[in-house]
mmCIF file of all heavy atoms in Angstrom:
data_model
loop_
_atom_site.group_PDB
_atom_site.id
_atom_site.type_symbol
_atom_site.label_atom_id
_atom_site.label_comp_id
_atom_site.label_asym_id
_atom_site.label_seq_id
_atom_site.Cartn_x
_atom_site.Cartn_y
_atom_site.Cartn_z
ATOM 1 N N TYR A 1 16.073 0.452 -2.299
ATOM 2 C CA TYR A 1 16.670 -0.754 -1.727
ATOM 3 C C TYR A 1 16.231 -2.011 -2.483
ATOM 4 O O TYR A 1 15.209 -2.014 -3.197
ATOM 5 C CB TYR A 1 16.293 -0.873 -0.245
ATOM 6 C CG TYR A 1 14.792 -0.950 0.000
ATOM 7 C CD1 TYR A 1 14.112 -2.164 0.000
ATOM 8 C CD2 TYR A 1 14.052 0.220 0.227
ATOM 9 C CE1 TYR A 1 12.745 -2.228 0.219
ATOM 10 C CE2 TYR A 1 12.684 0.160 0.453
ATOM 11 C CZ TYR A 1 12.046 -1.063 0.445
ATOM 12 O OH TYR A 1 10.687 -1.117 0.649
ATOM 13 N N ASP A 2 17.002 -3.084 -2.321
ATOM 14 C CA ASP A 2 16.642 -4.361 -2.932
ATOM 15 C C ASP A 2 15.369 -4.875 -2.258
ATOM 16 O O ASP A 2 15.359 -5.129 -1.057
ATOM 17 C CB ASP A 2 17.784 -5.362 -2.755
ATOM 18 C CG ASP A 2 17.541 -6.655 -3.512
ATOM 19 O OD1 ASP A 2 16.629 -6.686 -4.357
ATOM 20 O OD2 ASP A 2 18.274 -7.630 -3.257
ATOM 21 N N GLY A 3 14.309 -5.005 -3.008
ATOM 22 C CA GLY A 3 13.009 -5.392 -2.471
ATOM 23 C C GLY A 3 11.980 -4.291 -2.645
ATOM 24 O O GLY A 3 10.782 -4.523 -2.448
ATOM 25 N N TYR A 4 12.443 -3.086 -3.033
ATOM 26 C CA TYR A 4 11.491 -1.985 -3.186
ATOM 27 C C TYR A 4 10.549 -2.194 -4.361
ATOM 28 O O TYR A 4 9.358 -1.855 -4.263
ATOM 29 C CB TYR A 4 12.216 -0.643 -3.368
ATOM 30 C CG TYR A 4 11.246 0.455 -3.748
ATOM 31 C CD1 TYR A 4 10.367 0.974 -2.798
ATOM 32 C CD2 TYR A 4 11.131 0.913 -5.064
ATOM 33 C CE1 TYR A 4 9.433 1.947 -3.143
ATOM 34 C CE2 TYR A 4 10.208 1.878 -5.415
ATOM 35 C CZ TYR A 4 9.358 2.393 -4.456
ATOM 36 O OH TYR A 4 8.417 3.329 -4.792
ATOM 37 N N MET A 5 11.031 -2.721 -5.482
ATOM 38 C CA MET A 5 10.183 -2.808 -6.669
ATOM 39 C C MET A 5 8.918 -3.643 -6.442
ATOM 40 O O MET A 5 7.825 -3.207 -6.834
ATOM 41 C CB MET A 5 10.984 -3.336 -7.862
ATOM 42 C CG MET A 5 12.068 -2.372 -8.355
ATOM 43 S SD MET A 5 11.476 -0.682 -8.662
ATOM 44 C CE MET A 5 10.269 -0.974 -9.938
ATOM 45 N N PRO A 6 8.981 -4.811 -5.795
ATOM 46 C CA PRO A 6 7.729 -5.518 -5.485
ATOM 47 C C PRO A 6 6.839 -4.700 -4.552
ATOM 48 O O PRO A 6 5.607 -4.716 -4.687
ATOM 49 C CB PRO A 6 8.210 -6.806 -4.821
ATOM 50 C CG PRO A 6 9.579 -7.022 -5.356
ATOM 51 C CD PRO A 6 10.159 -5.646 -5.499
ATOM 52 N N PHE A 7 7.461 -3.967 -3.605
ATOM 53 C CA PHE A 7 6.648 -3.137 -2.724
ATOM 54 C C PHE A 7 5.936 -2.038 -3.500
ATOM 55 O O PHE A 7 4.777 -1.705 -3.192
ATOM 56 C CB PHE A 7 7.496 -2.492 -1.624
ATOM 57 C CG PHE A 7 6.763 -1.382 -0.926
ATOM 58 C CD1 PHE A 7 5.766 -1.672 0.000
ATOM 59 C CD2 PHE A 7 7.007 -0.046 -1.240
ATOM 60 C CE1 PHE A 7 5.044 -0.649 0.621
ATOM 61 C CE2 PHE A 7 6.299 0.981 -0.632
ATOM 62 C CZ PHE A 7 5.311 0.679 0.297
ATOM 63 N N GLN A 8 6.593 -1.459 -4.489
ATOM 64 C CA GLN A 8 5.967 -0.385 -5.258
ATOM 65 C C GLN A 8 4.669 -0.864 -5.905
ATOM 66 O O GLN A 8 3.665 -0.138 -5.909
ATOM 67 C CB GLN A 8 6.936 0.131 -6.328
ATOM 68 C CG GLN A 8 6.382 1.292 -7.144
ATOM 69 C CD GLN A 8 7.447 1.978 -7.976
ATOM 70 O OE1 GLN A 8 8.148 2.856 -7.504
ATOM 71 N NE2 GLN A 8 7.564 1.578 -9.232
ATOM 72 N N LYS A 9 4.670 -2.076 -6.423
ATOM 73 C CA LYS A 9 3.456 -2.643 -7.006
ATOM 74 C C LYS A 9 2.410 -2.911 -5.929
ATOM 75 O O LYS A 9 1.232 -2.545 -6.072
ATOM 76 C CB LYS A 9 3.780 -3.935 -7.751
ATOM 77 C CG LYS A 9 2.592 -4.572 -8.466
ATOM 78 C CD LYS A 9 3.047 -5.804 -9.235
ATOM 79 C CE LYS A 9 1.888 -6.386 -10.066
ATOM 80 N NZ LYS A 9 0.749 -6.807 -9.247
ATOM 81 N N GLN A 10 2.840 -3.520 -4.843
ATOM 82 C CA GLN A 10 1.907 -3.830 -3.751
ATOM 83 C C GLN A 10 1.369 -2.545 -3.124
ATOM 84 O O GLN A 10 0.170 -2.430 -2.835
ATOM 85 C CB GLN A 10 2.616 -4.675 -2.692
ATOM 86 C CG GLN A 10 1.714 -5.140 -1.553
ATOM 87 C CD GLN A 10 2.456 -5.957 -0.517
ATOM 88 O OE1 GLN A 10 3.693 -6.061 -0.548
ATOM 89 N NE2 GLN A 10 1.727 -6.548 0.423
ATOM 90 N N GLY A 11 2.239 -1.570 -2.926
ATOM 91 C CA GLY A 11 1.822 -0.313 -2.325
ATOM 92 C C GLY A 11 0.811 0.426 -3.177
ATOM 93 O O GLY A 11 -0.126 1.049 -2.649
ATOM 94 N N SER A 12 0.969 0.360 -4.490
ATOM 95 C CA SER A 12 0.007 0.999 -5.391
ATOM 96 C C SER A 12 -1.376 0.384 -5.242
ATOM 97 O O SER A 12 -2.391 1.092 -5.262
ATOM 98 C CB SER A 12 0.494 0.871 -6.838
ATOM 99 O OG SER A 12 1.742 1.501 -7.014
ATOM 100 N N GLU A 13 -1.402 -0.934 -5.089
ATOM 101 C CA GLU A 13 -2.684 -1.619 -4.914
ATOM 102 C C GLU A 13 -3.324 -1.247 -3.577
ATOM 103 O O GLU A 13 -4.553 -1.096 -3.484
ATOM 104 C CB GLU A 13 -2.464 -3.125 -5.008
ATOM 105 C CG GLU A 13 -2.005 -3.570 -6.409
ATOM 106 C CD GLU A 13 -1.491 -4.994 -6.437
ATOM 107 O OE1 GLU A 13 -1.334 -5.594 -5.345
ATOM 108 O OE2 GLU A 13 -1.221 -5.508 -7.543
ATOM 109 N N ILE A 14 -2.514 -1.086 -2.539
ATOM 110 C CA ILE A 14 -3.045 -0.707 -1.216
ATOM 111 C C ILE A 14 -3.615 0.710 -1.264
ATOM 112 O O ILE A 14 -4.687 0.983 -0.708
ATOM 113 C CB ILE A 14 -1.949 -0.820 -0.146
ATOM 114 C CG1 ILE A 14 -1.539 -2.294 0.034
ATOM 115 C CG2 ILE A 14 -2.428 -0.239 1.176
ATOM 116 C CD1 ILE A 14 -0.298 -2.489 0.890
ATOM 117 N N ILE A 15 -2.908 1.616 -1.920
ATOM 118 C CA ILE A 15 -3.412 2.983 -2.061
ATOM 119 C C ILE A 15 -4.752 2.976 -2.791
ATOM 120 O O ILE A 15 -5.693 3.692 -2.411
ATOM 121 C CB ILE A 15 -2.392 3.872 -2.805
ATOM 122 C CG1 ILE A 15 -1.156 4.098 -1.936
ATOM 123 C CG2 ILE A 15 -3.015 5.207 -3.210
ATOM 124 C CD1 ILE A 15 -1.416 4.857 -0.651
ATOM 125 N N ARG A 16 -4.860 2.143 -3.816
ATOM 126 C CA ARG A 16 -6.131 2.063 -4.532
ATOM 127 C C ARG A 16 -7.245 1.571 -3.612
ATOM 128 O O ARG A 16 -8.370 2.092 -3.652
ATOM 129 C CB ARG A 16 -5.998 1.156 -5.758
ATOM 130 C CG ARG A 16 -7.283 1.032 -6.551
ATOM 131 C CD ARG A 16 -7.068 0.407 -7.895
ATOM 132 N NE ARG A 16 -8.320 0.310 -8.649
ATOM 133 C CZ ARG A 16 -8.396 0.048 -9.943
ATOM 134 N NH1 ARG A 16 -7.292 -0.155 -10.656
ATOM 135 N NH2 ARG A 16 -9.560 -0.013 -10.560
ATOM 136 N N GLU A 17 -6.932 0.585 -2.786
ATOM 137 C CA GLU A 17 -7.938 0.096 -1.819
ATOM 138 C C GLU A 17 -8.397 1.218 -0.901
ATOM 139 O O GLU A 17 -9.586 1.353 -0.590
ATOM 140 C CB GLU A 17 -7.346 -1.034 -0.973
ATOM 141 C CG GLU A 17 -7.242 -2.379 -1.641
ATOM 142 C CD GLU A 17 -6.779 -3.430 -0.660
ATOM 143 O OE1 GLU A 17 -5.550 -3.612 -0.502
ATOM 144 O OE2 GLU A 17 -7.642 -4.075 -0.008
ATOM 145 N N GLY A 18 -7.453 2.037 -0.460
ATOM 146 C CA GLY A 18 -7.790 3.117 0.444
ATOM 147 C C GLY A 18 -8.563 4.245 -0.219
ATOM 148 O O GLY A 18 -9.277 4.992 0.449
ATOM 149 N N LEU A 19 -8.438 4.352 -1.521
ATOM 150 C CA LEU A 19 -9.113 5.426 -2.253
ATOM 151 C C LEU A 19 -10.478 5.005 -2.793
ATOM 152 O O LEU A 19 -11.313 5.853 -3.102
ATOM 153 C CB LEU A 19 -8.239 5.901 -3.421
ATOM 154 C CG LEU A 19 -6.954 6.643 -3.036
ATOM 155 C CD1 LEU A 19 -6.113 6.905 -4.281
ATOM 156 C CD2 LEU A 19 -7.271 7.958 -2.331
ATOM 157 N N THR A 20 -10.696 3.724 -2.925
ATOM 158 C CA THR A 20 -11.953 3.252 -3.507
ATOM 159 C C THR A 20 -12.885 2.637 -2.471
ATOM 160 O O THR A 20 -13.913 2.054 -2.828
ATOM 161 C CB THR A 20 -11.666 2.218 -4.618
ATOM 162 O OG1 THR A 20 -10.877 1.151 -4.094
ATOM 163 C CG2 THR A 20 -10.931 2.871 -5.784
ATOM 164 N N GLY A 21 -12.526 2.750 -1.198
ATOM 165 C CA GLY A 21 -13.437 2.301 -0.141
ATOM 166 C C GLY A 21 -13.201 0.905 0.352
ATOM 167 O O GLY A 21 -13.911 0.428 1.248
ATOM 168 N N GLY A 22 -12.201 0.206 -0.201
ATOM 169 C CA GLY A 22 -11.925 -1.144 0.276
ATOM 170 C C GLY A 22 -11.328 -1.157 1.662
ATOM 171 O O GLY A 22 -11.461 -2.131 2.410
ATOM 172 N N LEU A 23 -10.643 -0.054 2.006
ATOM 173 C CA LEU A 23 -10.053 0.102 3.327
ATOM 174 C C LEU A 23 -10.275 1.531 3.793
ATOM 175 O O LEU A 23 -10.342 2.457 2.976
ATOM 176 C CB LEU A 23 -8.535 -0.161 3.282
ATOM 177 C CG LEU A 23 -8.028 -1.589 3.066
ATOM 178 C CD1 LEU A 23 -6.520 -1.565 2.838
ATOM 179 C CD2 LEU A 23 -8.365 -2.473 4.261
ATOM 180 N N SER A 24 -10.376 1.719 5.097
ATOM 181 C CA SER A 24 -10.383 3.085 5.613
ATOM 182 C C SER A 24 -9.004 3.688 5.380
ATOM 183 O O SER A 24 -8.028 2.975 5.141
ATOM 184 C CB SER A 24 -10.706 3.090 7.109
ATOM 185 O OG SER A 24 -9.615 2.552 7.855
ATOM 186 N N HIS A 25 -8.914 5.008 5.471
ATOM 187 C CA HIS A 25 -7.627 5.652 5.222
ATOM 188 C C HIS A 25 -6.573 5.196 6.228
ATOM 189 O O HIS A 25 -5.430 4.892 5.851
ATOM 190 C CB HIS A 25 -7.793 7.171 5.254
ATOM 191 C CG HIS A 25 -8.666 7.679 4.152
ATOM 192 N ND1 HIS A 25 -9.359 8.872 4.232
ATOM 193 C CD2 HIS A 25 -8.973 7.149 2.940
ATOM 194 C CE1 HIS A 25 -10.041 9.049 3.130
ATOM 195 N NE2 HIS A 25 -9.832 8.021 2.328
ATOM 196 N N ARG A 26 -6.929 5.129 7.501
ATOM 197 C CA ARG A 26 -5.977 4.676 8.512
ATOM 198 C C ARG A 26 -5.585 3.215 8.289
ATOM 199 O O ARG A 26 -4.400 2.857 8.397
ATOM 200 C CB ARG A 26 -6.563 4.849 9.920
ATOM 201 C CG ARG A 26 -6.565 6.277 10.428
ATOM 202 C CD ARG A 26 -7.082 6.306 11.878
ATOM 203 N NE ARG A 26 -6.250 5.500 12.748
ATOM 204 C CZ ARG A 26 -5.174 5.943 13.383
ATOM 205 N NH1 ARG A 26 -4.797 7.193 13.232
ATOM 206 N NH2 ARG A 26 -4.467 5.141 14.170
ATOM 207 N N ALA A 27 -6.555 2.388 7.966
ATOM 208 C CA ALA A 27 -6.258 0.970 7.742
ATOM 209 C C ALA A 27 -5.345 0.795 6.527
ATOM 210 O O ALA A 27 -4.452 -0.071 6.519
ATOM 211 C CB ALA A 27 -7.549 0.184 7.559
ATOM 212 N N ALA A 28 -5.558 1.604 5.507
ATOM 213 C CA ALA A 28 -4.714 1.523 4.315
ATOM 214 C C ALA A 28 -3.268 1.890 4.653
ATOM 215 O O ALA A 28 -2.330 1.227 4.192
ATOM 216 C CB ALA A 28 -5.255 2.443 3.223
ATOM 217 N N ILE A 29 -3.070 2.937 5.457
ATOM 218 C CA ILE A 29 -1.713 3.335 5.823
ATOM 219 C C ILE A 29 -1.057 2.285 6.713
ATOM 220 O O ILE A 29 0.137 1.983 6.580
ATOM 221 C CB ILE A 29 -1.722 4.718 6.508
ATOM 222 C CG1 ILE A 29 -2.319 5.772 5.564
ATOM 223 C CG2 ILE A 29 -0.297 5.117 6.909
ATOM 224 C CD1 ILE A 29 -1.633 5.878 4.209
ATOM 225 N N GLU A 30 -1.822 1.703 7.613
ATOM 226 C CA GLU A 30 -1.275 0.633 8.444
ATOM 227 C C GLU A 30 -0.835 -0.553 7.583
ATOM 228 O O GLU A 30 0.240 -1.138 7.793
ATOM 229 C CB GLU A 30 -2.315 0.184 9.471
ATOM 230 C CG GLU A 30 -2.582 1.220 10.559
ATOM 231 C CD GLU A 30 -3.738 0.838 11.462
ATOM 232 O OE1 GLU A 30 -4.418 -0.168 11.148
ATOM 233 O OE2 GLU A 30 -3.974 1.544 12.470
ATOM 234 N N LYS A 31 -1.643 -0.907 6.594
ATOM 235 C CA LYS A 31 -1.294 -2.001 5.687
ATOM 236 C C LYS A 31 -0.102 -1.631 4.839
ATOM 237 O O LYS A 31 0.792 -2.465 4.577
ATOM 238 C CB LYS A 31 -2.502 -2.333 4.808
ATOM 239 C CG LYS A 31 -2.312 -3.554 3.920
ATOM 240 C CD LYS A 31 -3.601 -3.899 3.171
ATOM 241 C CE LYS A 31 -3.423 -5.130 2.289
ATOM 242 N NZ LYS A 31 -4.689 -5.470 1.559
ATOM 243 N N LEU A 32 -0.038 -0.372 4.405
ATOM 244 C CA LEU A 32 1.091 0.114 3.605
ATOM 245 C C LEU A 32 2.391 0.028 4.413
ATOM 246 O O LEU A 32 3.421 -0.443 3.910
ATOM 247 C CB LEU A 32 0.814 1.554 3.176
ATOM 248 C CG LEU A 32 1.732 2.171 2.119
ATOM 249 C CD1 LEU A 32 1.514 1.503 0.771
ATOM 250 C CD2 LEU A 32 1.470 3.677 2.008
ATOM 251 N N ASN A 33 2.346 0.450 5.664
ATOM 252 C CA ASN A 33 3.524 0.391 6.518
ATOM 253 C C ASN A 33 3.972 -1.051 6.763
ATOM 254 O O ASN A 33 5.175 -1.342 6.771
ATOM 255 C CB ASN A 33 3.247 1.080 7.859
ATOM 256 C CG ASN A 33 3.365 2.582 7.785
ATOM 257 O OD1 ASN A 33 4.053 3.120 6.908
ATOM 258 N ND2 ASN A 33 2.721 3.284 8.708
ATOM 259 N N SER A 34 3.030 -1.941 6.938
ATOM 260 C CA SER A 34 3.364 -3.344 7.161
ATOM 261 C C SER A 34 4.046 -3.932 5.931
ATOM 262 O O SER A 34 5.040 -4.670 6.041
ATOM 263 C CB SER A 34 2.111 -4.152 7.506
ATOM 264 O OG SER A 34 1.563 -3.738 8.736
ATOM 265 N N ALA A 35 3.505 -3.625 4.755
ATOM 266 C CA ALA A 35 4.108 -4.121 3.518
ATOM 267 C C ALA A 35 5.508 -3.552 3.320
ATOM 268 O O ALA A 35 6.436 -4.248 2.890
ATOM 269 C CB ALA A 35 3.224 -3.758 2.336
#
């Protein structure tokens, strides 16, 4: 959809946060869903 490409970049950064300890796994998914 129109708007997905910026989300893909933002979503990648959120996944990294969830994998490197910046966010808990649940918090990362909640942030991913919000974005």
Side-chain angles (χ1 to χ4, degrees):
Y1 60 88
D2 187 13
Y4 171 73
M5 292 309 299
F7 166 76
Q8 182 167 275
K9 183 177 185 299
Q10 184 181 8
S12 299
E13 294 167 351
I14 294 170
I15 291 296
R16 180 167 181 166
E17 283 186 272
L19 291 173
T20 56
L23 289 171
S24 70
H25 295 155
R26 284 184 60 88
I29 301 304
E30 290 173 353
K31 186 175 181 180
L32 191 69
N33 279 336
S34 295

